[in-house]
Amino acid sequence: MKTAEEILETNKKQREFYNHQTRQNLATRLWASLRNGLLNRTRKAIGIQEEVYETHRRWIGDITTKKVLDLGCFAGNYWSLYLAENAKSYLGIDLSDVGIARLDARLAPFPNAEARVVDFLSPEFKDAEFDLIYAYGVLHHFPNTDLLIARLEEKLAPGGEIIAYDPLETSAPLKLLRSLYRPFQSDAAWEWPFSRKTFRKYRDAFELIEHHGILGRAKWVALLGFLPVSEAKRVRMGCRWHRHDWEMSRVSDRALFACMHLTMRLKKKEQGVAS
């Protein structure tokens, strides 16, 4: 398992990658096209994306007295400006100079908000006592889950929460596709979709308040576009399958691990509380 020093070195390469996205090879661009094209259109068409965002808004709650960390936010995610406007204090951090420069310009109207280029694992990052860490598509970039969990616990205030959204590699078809793609992947060194073991480590380390799996049965809606099925019927089927994924993944690991993505609301445990 990689040490903090090894990950910090890898993250220097990650910074360059995200600062110069034209360096992606063909395999990485094709995977991104699938992920950001066909699957994103599916998520929008059947309301998955909107439900995830609105669930995060509900989980965020009232933050007028809270210190918020927007972890790995690049130039800003869907909720970055909302967090910056409404939190008592907001800090957005990312490895990318390019992303943070863009976010910094967007934060100009909010005096209690700051954007900074810094590695979350670096000793240079000394800020702590965050009431909320928002990590959209971020936690899976760390190969050492134990190290990351310890760092998250260190940075959270007592009773602090994490809202996360990350890919899973627990369904058999997806795991096969990823295994075929990974040897050609430009960003493989910092792409570590959650395994069953990863999810269980978070569940043991924190209080898991609520979680949902996304794109379990619903991922197959994308394939219906290649069949003689009307758009209206595809949407109806997709909505039904998504509802099954969303609700069943809360109570069944089997349903969760059939999904492509996972979103979690975690809370720091009180000291002395057993895992």
Side-chain angles (χ1 to χ4, degrees):
M1 190 168 290
K2 288 192 175 184
T3 65
E5 291 74 19
E6 289 172 327
I7 298 172
L8 289 170
E9 284 302 310
T10 299
N11 285 350
K12 292 177 182 178
K13 298 175 184 177
Q14 186 179 175
R15 173 179 294 161
E16 288 303 307
F17 180 86
Y18 287 112
N19 279 343
H20 307 283
Q21 301 229 358
T22 54
R23 294 180 180 179
Q24 295 179 0
N25 64 22
L26 178 61
T28 304
R29 292 198 301 272
L30 287 173
W31 183 262
S33 177
L34 171 65
R35 184 182 65 239
N36 300 326
L38 184 60
L39 288 176
N40 267 0
R41 289 195 296 273
T42 299
R43 284 188 291 185
K44 289 179 181 179
I46 60 181
I48 296 175
Q49 187 165 293
E50 182 179 355
E51 180 156 25
V52 170
Y53 287 146
E54 287 307 310
T55 296
H56 286 186
R57 172 65 187 87
R58 173 170 59 84
W59 289 352
I60 289 167
D62 181 1
I63 53 173
T64 54
T65 62
K66 293 184 177 180
K67 183 178 181 180
V68 173
L69 174 66
D70 199 355
L71 176 59
C73 56
F74 194 67
N77 53 60
Y78 188 87
W79 287 118
S80 291
L81 296 186
Y82 176 85
L83 294 170
E85 181 178 9
N86 291 280
K88 180 180 179 181
S89 70
Y90 167 92
L91 173 61
I93 68 170
D94 197 89
L95 297 170
S96 171
D97 313 77
V98 173
I100 287 298
R102 288 164 53 188
L103 178 61
D104 190 54
R106 299 173 71 196
L107 294 179
F110 312 120
N112 295 326
E114 177 188 359
R116 194 186 309 164
V117 179
V118 67
D119 193 312
F120 183 61
L121 296 182
S122 170
E124 298 173 9
F125 184 56
K126 301 184 183 300
D127 302 67
E129 295 294 307
F130 291 102
D131 300 295
L132 174 64
I133 296 178
Y134 189 68
Y136 191 93
V138 178
L139 302 186
H140 72 283
H141 288 307
F142 296 81
N144 189 326
T145 304
D146 296 329
L147 182 66
L148 176 58
I149 285 175
R151 188 67 162 169
L152 289 166
E153 290 176 326
E154 175 190 338
K155 294 302 181 182
L156 282 171
E161 295 187 4
I162 301 166
I163 297 173
Y165 184 97
D166 288 279
L168 290 164
E169 64 167 9
T170 50
S171 73
L174 188 61
K175 193 166 186 177
L176 175 60
L177 282 174
R178 285 189 178 278
S179 68
L180 295 173
Y181 156 65
R182 191 169 181 83
F184 309 100
Q185 184 179 358
S186 298
D187 52 355
W190 51 86
E191 284 286 334
W192 303 95
F194 280 23
S195 64
R196 290 171 171 81
K197 185 177 181 180
T198 305
F199 169 69
R200 287 166 179 152
K201 283 187 175 184
Y202 281 99
R203 184 168 62 185
D204 290 343
F206 298 95
E207 179 186 345
L208 183 58
I209 299 176
E210 187 176 339
H211 70 286
H212 298 278
I214 299 101
L215 292 173
R217 291 184 179 180
K219 62 177 171 285
W220 303 115
V221 176
L223 298 181
L224 294 179
F226 300 101
L227 300 175
V229 178
S230 70
E231 176 69 14
K233 187 173 182 179
R234 281 198 298 126
V235 169
R236 287 197 302 272
M237 293 175 70
C239 290
R240 185 167 67 249
W241 289 346
H242 166 59
R243 187 51 41 201
H244 171 274
D245 298 336
W246 189 261
E247 298 299 338
M248 290 303 298
S249 61
R250 296 183 63 182
V251 296
S252 165
D253 281 0
R254 181 177 180 181
L256 173 65
F257 295 146
C259 294
M260 291 184 67
H261 296 145
L262 161 72
T263 190
M264 304 182 291
R265 181 185 180 190
L266 305 164
K267 184 176 181 180
K268 184 176 181 179
K269 289 184 177 179
E270 297 180 16
Q271 290 187 348
V273 175
S275 297

